[in-house]
Amino acid sequence: VTFDNGRHYYSNVVSLNGGDKSFPRLVNTFVTTGNLNISSPGQFEYTVFDMNGRAITRGRLSQGVSSVSLPFTSMGMYIIEFKNGNTTYTEKFTRK
């Protein structure tokens, strides 16, 4: 950034993509239909939580792209948790 007084300032660059490929990833974090598409490198258990911590749905993913039916219509933010043994990974998504 260059300000009117001629000073230059730089900020840190943080990569948001390209994380750990050993966990499932949401294909899109904005959901407008009743399905959530997930790309999974293997078999994982998943649980979808609302922002109050209540479990909405759960199931098992197989390797490849899976479509998970969302049994709710309320708009808002949700958390999906992926488990494989003792390893857990979470990601958030928005239902629009």
Side-chain angles (χ1 to χ4, degrees):
V1 175
T2 302
F3 290 97
D4 292 338
N5 64 3
R7 290 187 177 232
H8 298 278
Y9 291 94
Y10 300 93
S11 66
N12 293 335
V13 176
V14 178
S15 175
L16 298 178
N17 294 328
D20 190 352
K21 303 284 187 207
S22 62
F23 289 101
R25 291 284 183 196
L26 297 177
V27 173
N28 193 348
T29 58
F30 292 102
V31 179
T32 57
T33 64
N35 294 322
L36 184 63
N37 294 318
I38 303 167
S39 176
S40 179
Q43 292 188 353
F44 285 82
E45 294 178 4
Y46 69 87
T47 307
V48 176
F49 297 96
D50 65 12
M51 292 308 284
N52 293 319
R54 290 185 298 248
I56 304 296
T57 188
R58 62 186 70 216
R60 180 174 284 278
L61 299 172
S62 58
Q63 185 173 5
V65 177
S66 299
S67 182
V68 173
S69 178
L70 301 175
F72 52 88
T73 58
S74 300
M75 293 187 292
M77 292 185 67
Y78 294 87
I79 302 286
I80 186 164
E81 175 184 76
F82 303 105
K83 283 188 176 182
N84 186 0
N86 293 332
T87 307
T88 303
Y89 175 76
T90 59
E91 202 167 343
K92 68 179 178 179
F93 66 95
T94 303
R95 170 76 163 101
K96 289 192 159 206

